[in-house]
Amino acid sequence: MEFFVVHNKVSHETGQKNSKRPPTLYKDGSAARGTVGVDSATIALSGRAARKAKLRGVVLGCTTSYNGQSFLASDGVLSLGYSNISFASRAASRFGGRFSYCLVDHLAPRNATSYLTFGPNPAFSSRRPSEGTASCKPAPAPTPAPAGAPGARQTPLVLDHRTRPFYAVTVKGVSVAGELLKIPRAVWDVEQGGGAILDSGTSLTMLAKPAYRAVVAALSKRLAGLPRVTMDPFDYCYNWTSPSGSDVAAPLPMLAVHFAGSARLEPPAKSYVIDAAPGVKCIGLQEGPWPGLSVIGNILQQEHLWEYDLKNRRLRFKRSRCMH
């Protein structure tokens, strides 16, 4: 099965059906304005040989103006949502119905890079994709082998019309230091106004009010010996500097998100008690409205490899250093 790694160069052919559309606002008020059209994109295939493939009917936009913070450090936006016009859906449908990404620590050195791959990821398959063929036509799909991938876990991927274009998962609970917290089941139930999604475009994890209060209460209880400081946009921040000027060696409790299918996300502590400033660490969670969706953001996802199997509606993940 062929798969490819996206690079930041896209070659365009003549666009069709160009149209002007009003801007869609991000949560922080950012928006972009420009021209949207149907086009073709040429992408580089992975493997030893320098090969390319062409995706037709891709919806592309050319930005003429923008406002807000979301676009200040960006070359562009690649749509990964569950939609028949998103780049992810178009590319995944051609390359085995799957895509995956691995996010490095957001404070990692500049030479450490995250990556995005379309097609079955060898880390979750029983055999590697063939590198000897020049054809872009799909070969028989590798057999998923969660048990054969050390540390790999999987849970159902919930592709529900009520949460589109987001990718939802079924959360069973959250534990801190091995203790399952008392969070109403309705918080994780779409039918009752809750639910949870993974969003690579959101940095901080946002939990609906009942879940947020339970989690930060459990974490802050174990950090009570540290002096509190104030720093927006966080509610719980701490002075992490000892009188000698070195970082405090305070033990951090383990946070775990429990998914359906007995899968657990156990992020490194630096993904939920995050460095906010020199000598200052904060509980890197935000309170969301209730009723409302909880969002597992990209900082909590970092140092993990995630595979979205759209064809079989499975989400697979494992700890990774993101070496590709």
Side-chain angles (χ1 to χ4, degrees):
M1 177 68 70
E2 301 285 358
F3 64 106
F4 68 83
V5 180
V6 173
H7 299 276
N8 60 2
K9 287 186 68 177
V10 179
S11 53
H12 302 96
E13 292 186 336
T14 303
Q16 299 177 2
K17 301 180 182 178
N18 290 341
S19 61
K20 298 286 186 178
R21 297 185 181 181
T24 299
L25 297 180
Y26 284 77
K27 187 175 180 180
D28 66 357
S30 299
R33 184 178 296 275
T35 302
V36 175
V38 178
D39 216 328
S40 294
T42 301
I43 43 83
L45 295 174
S46 64
R48 296 170 186 162
R51 295 175 289 133
K52 296 181 179 180
K54 183 174 291 184
L55 289 179
R56 301 186 185 277
V58 177
V59 176
L60 297 172
C62 183
T63 300
T64 56
S65 63
Y66 65 87
N67 63 277
Q69 299 296 313
S70 292
F71 301 102
L72 290 181
S74 301
D75 293 325
V77 177
L78 184 67
S79 56
L80 298 180
Y82 184 58
S83 161
N84 58 6
I85 65 170
S86 76
F87 187 89
S89 296
R90 299 289 298 181
S93 65
R94 172 146 182 207
F95 296 95
R98 308 182 204 178
F99 72 92
S100 56
Y101 57 73
C102 195
L103 304 177
V104 299
D105 183 349
H106 67 292
L107 298 177
R110 293 180 64 88
N111 61 350
T113 58
S114 303
Y115 70 86
L116 170 67
T117 300
F118 289 87
N121 195 300
F124 296 107
S125 301
S126 59
R127 56 186 174 86
R128 298 182 66 85
S130 171
E131 293 181 343
T133 175
S135 171
C136 296
K137 295 180 180 179
T143 302
R153 297 169 179 178
Q154 69 173 4
T155 188
L157 187 61
V158 183
L159 304 178
D160 191 289
H161 69 277
R162 290 166 294 189
T163 55
R164 289 184 70 162
F166 301 108
Y167 299 99
V169 287
T170 300
V171 174
K172 293 297 187 180
V174 178
S175 61
V176 172
E179 180 181 348
L180 195 64
L181 304 181
K182 294 181 180 180
I183 300 173
R185 292 183 180 180
V187 169
W188 314 121
D189 189 349
V190 175
E191 297 279 356
Q192 300 184 62
I197 61 171
L198 280 90
D199 186 9
S200 62
T202 297
S203 294
L204 295 175
T205 291
M206 182 176 67
L207 299 176
K209 185 175 181 177
Y212 173 82
R213 296 201 168 181
V215 173
V216 296
L219 290 174
S220 61
K221 178 181 178 181
R222 289 164 174 80
L223 299 174
L226 296 169
R228 292 274 298 273
V229 296
T230 301
M231 180 172 289
D232 290 333
F234 305 101
D235 294 329
Y236 292 84
C237 292
Y238 303 88
N239 184 344
W240 220 265
T241 306
S242 68
S244 65
S246 60
D247 282 352
V248 174
L252 294 173
M254 177 179 289
L255 172 73
V257 181
H258 302 257
F259 297 120
S262 301
R264 294 191 314 276
L265 170 61
E266 298 171 330
K270 63 182 178 180
S271 293
Y272 52 90
V273 179
I274 65 177
D275 292 304
V280 176
K281 292 182 184 289
C282 299
I283 296 178
L285 306 172
Q286 289 187 313
E287 181 178 330
W290 174 249
L293 286 170
S294 294
V295 181
I296 300 174
N298 58 43
I299 293 180
L300 206 66
Q301 297 178 45
Q302 67 188 10
E303 295 191 355
H304 279 75
L305 174 62
W306 300 86
E307 183 182 68
Y308 293 74
D309 185 344
L310 307 184
K311 183 177 180 181
N312 298 302
R313 300 196 172 201
R314 307 295 295 179
L315 175 71
R316 301 180 184 92
F317 60 96
K318 61 181 293 188
R319 287 291 291 267
S320 175
R321 296 179 60 190
C322 301
M323 305 295 289
H324 187 67

